[in-house]
């Protein structure tokens, strides 16, 4: 149990589908993050939420839409994705927002866009 | 641009040997350097971190060294065991990148019996 739970673990969707990824943290942290992990590339930060407010959006296409209803839950809504969006999507949380507060990652959702 | 370079991309060692992974960074103002271990099918897990006010930190079989002048830091694993096999990521805060944690591209470590 990592303290950060992501569902589903695997997702296959067509380019016209709409789906959502869910993340829940049980650590009492105040910041939550979405990262994209692609092969042979560094982890890419997509969104940051601090105290339920989005504080960062790293030029992510609008086909990715985050939602943070409370400090324990984070969603990533997906629609009209492209095959190049296939990747491992990782959720993370930290006590404080900021690079030097350790990140706690979930085990990710492996997304395949067909 | 601001980035973190990590080498090697793959590393194979015999059980019991030491493994060293090196990272360099471009921002002289960086002050926090964590290392993450990612096992197959899991998310990255923090294994050790170091801040710029120290040059070395050790936790059992793992240690990290930091050379701020040369802008590089390294992970050392001694007496490697099969369960050390994983992908290891270094990271650094790059102030030029908006004080965000920037990750290296990862090192696939394989410990062979």
């Amino acid at each position: 149990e990592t303290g950060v739970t992501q569902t589903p673990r695997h997702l296959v969707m067509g380019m016209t589908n709409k789906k959502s990824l869910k993340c829940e943290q049980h650590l009492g942290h105040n910041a939550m993050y979405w990262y994209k992990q692609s092969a042979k590339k560094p982890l890419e930060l997509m969104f940051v939420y601090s105290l339920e407010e989005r504080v960062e959006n790293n030029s992510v296409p609008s086909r990715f839409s985050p939602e943070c209803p409370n400090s324990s839950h984070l969603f990533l809504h997906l629609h009209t994705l492209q095959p190049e969006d296939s990747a491992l999507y990782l959720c993370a949380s930290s006590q404080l927002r900021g690079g030097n507060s350790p990140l706690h990652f979930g085990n990710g959702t492996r997304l395949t866009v067909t | 641009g601001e980035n973190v370079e990590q080498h090697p991309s793959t590393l194979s060692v015999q059980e019991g040997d030491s493994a060293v992974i090196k990272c360099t960074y471009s921002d002289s103002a960086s002050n926090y350097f964590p290392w993450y271990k990612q096992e197959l099918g899991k998310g990255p897990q923090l294994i050790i971190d170091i801040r710029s006010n120290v040059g070395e930190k050790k936790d059992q079989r793992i240690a990290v060294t930091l050379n701020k002048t040369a802008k590089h830091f390294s992970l050392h694993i001694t007496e490697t065991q099969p369960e050390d096999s994983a992908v290891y990521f270094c990271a650094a805060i790059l102030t030029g990148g908006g004080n965000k944690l920037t990750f290296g591209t990862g090192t696939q470590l394989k410990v062979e019996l």
Side-chain angles (χ1 to χ4, degrees):
Chain A
E1 176 58 53
T2 64
V4 179
T5 304
Q6 289 187 244
T7 55
R9 290 298 311 274
H10 302 272
L11 179 62
V12 179
M13 59 186 290
M15 289 189 284
T16 58
N17 291 159
K18 290 184 179 181
K19 296 286 185 182
S20 296
L21 310 185
K22 179 182 176 182
C23 176
E24 183 175 0
Q25 60 100 356
H26 316 277
L27 301 169
H29 288 168
N30 294 313
M32 296 187 78
Y33 310 74
W34 279 116
Y35 280 86
K36 177 182 179 182
Q37 186 175 35
S38 305
K40 308 297 183 185
K41 290 185 177 180
L43 283 161
E44 300 174 50
L45 179 62
M46 300 175 72
F47 301 103
V48 182
Y49 276 82
S50 177
L51 298 172
E52 302 153 43
E53 178 185 349
R54 190 192 311 180
V55 296
E56 195 151 346
N57 178 340
N58 263 9
S59 302
V60 178
S62 60
R63 56 186 184 269
F64 295 91
S65 175
E67 178 190 0
C68 187
N70 55 60
S71 59
S72 298
H73 294 85
L74 186 65
F75 295 90
L76 188 62
H77 304 299
L78 316 171
H79 64 97
T80 58
L81 294 191
Q82 304 298 310
E84 59 265 30
D85 297 322
S86 298
L88 181 68
Y89 288 84
L90 291 162
C91 173
S93 69
S94 65
Q95 180 62 44
L96 300 170
R97 181 176 71 89
N100 59 1
S101 185
L103 293 173
H104 295 254
F105 286 91
N107 287 330
T109 295
R110 173 68 63 185
L111 174 66
T112 303
V113 181
T114 60
Chain B
E2 304 284 358
N3 61 5
V4 176
E5 293 191 4
Q6 182 171 349
H7 300 280
S9 57
T10 60
L11 178 60
S12 184
V13 299
Q14 293 294 313
E15 183 180 9
D17 288 350
S18 295
V20 181
I21 303 170
K22 298 182 179 180
C23 288
T24 60
Y25 58 97
S26 53
D27 184 348
S28 59
S30 296
N31 58 12
Y32 177 62
F33 308 89
W35 285 87
Y36 287 82
K37 174 184 181 183
Q38 186 173 21
E39 297 176 332
L40 193 63
K42 295 186 177 181
Q45 300 297 312
L46 179 72
I47 55 171
I48 194 168
D49 57 14
I50 191 169
R51 298 183 189 273
S52 59
N53 57 341
V54 298
E56 183 175 2
K57 183 176 179 181
K58 191 173 182 180
D59 183 3
Q60 298 182 332
R61 295 187 298 107
I62 60 173
V64 57
T65 59
L66 171 65
N67 183 328
K68 286 214 73 180
T69 302
K71 291 190 280 188
H72 66 71
F73 56 114
S74 301
L75 178 71
H76 304 254
I77 306 174
T78 58
E79 301 171 34
T80 53
Q81 300 169 4
E83 53 264 39
D84 295 328
S85 296
V87 180
Y88 291 81
F89 294 94
C90 63
I93 295 178
L94 301 182
T95 55
N99 282 320
K100 289 193 295 285
L101 198 60
T102 301
F103 287 84
T105 50
T107 296
Q108 175 76 61
L109 172 65
K110 183 177 180 182
V111 180
E112 298 178 331
L113 297 172

